[in-house]
Amino acid sequence: VAAPATNAEPETGPESAPTHNFPPPDAGRKIFDQCRGCHSLSPSQNGRGPTLYHLFGRRAGSVPGFLYSPAMKNSVIVWTAGTLDRFLRNPRAFVPGSNMTSPDIKDPRDRKNLLAFLREATR
């Protein structure tokens, strides 16, 4: 049974490292290609998934105009490197009842590379 997904617990470990420890953003560009079918990097451009524009620091389930699952809309998650890493590892376990249908990103290096790309691309 997974613990409730919140941002209340302190983040420690490599997945919560400051951005200056992340790899170059281009390393995650190819990984993001798996996400492009549903997610945009442009403001106000939702697809099957919400836009990822200004993702870091945003409360989950809060993009205007996107119809979220009740589980995501009612979560207390704030997207940080740590919460995104845990979500991308297994979205359905991190937010049970989420509509996210993408495959899990099991490889920690792939997640780290994707997060570095998103950190730059979603500003």
Side-chain angles (χ1 to χ4, degrees), residues 6 32-34 36 60 62-63 65-66 84-85 88 100 102 121:
T6 74
F32 181 70
D33 285 343
Q34 300 171 41
R36 248 182 238 289
S62 67
V63 171
F66 187 78
L84 283 163
D85 181 71
L88 293 168
M100 177 85 158
S102 76

Side-chain angles (χ1 to χ4, degrees), residues 6-121:
T6 74
N7 66 329
E9 59 191 67
E11 295 184 28
T12 58
E15 70 276 359
S16 62
T19 49
H20 63 272
N21 290 336
F22 277 89
D26 287 344
R29 189 176 308 275
K30 284 187 177 182
I31 299 163
F32 181 70
D33 285 343
Q34 300 171 41
C35 312
R36 248 182 238 289
C38 296
H39 294 282
S40 165
L41 299 173
S42 301
S44 304
Q45 188 177 349
N46 295 321
R48 290 184 63 200
T51 178
L52 300 181
Y53 184 73
H54 284 171
L55 174 64
F56 288 83
R58 183 172 78 203
R59 187 179 154 274
S62 67
V63 171
F66 187 78
L67 182 60
Y68 288 95
S69 66
M72 188 64 76
K73 189 167 181 93
N74 296 323
S75 74
V76 295
I77 299 165
V78 172
W79 295 124
T80 65
T83 56
L84 283 163
D85 181 71
R86 292 182 359 234
F87 180 72
L88 293 168
R89 186 178 337 140
N90 189 339
R92 289 159 302 284
F94 190 65
V95 183
S98 169
N99 291 337
M100 177 85 158
T101 58
S102 76
D104 309 339
I105 301 175
K106 297 290 187 199
D107 186 329
R109 271 184 313 206
D110 286 348
R111 289 193 311 271
K112 187 173 182 178
N113 289 339
L114 177 59
L115 290 171
F117 171 76
L118 289 174
R119 178 65 98 180
E120 294 299 317

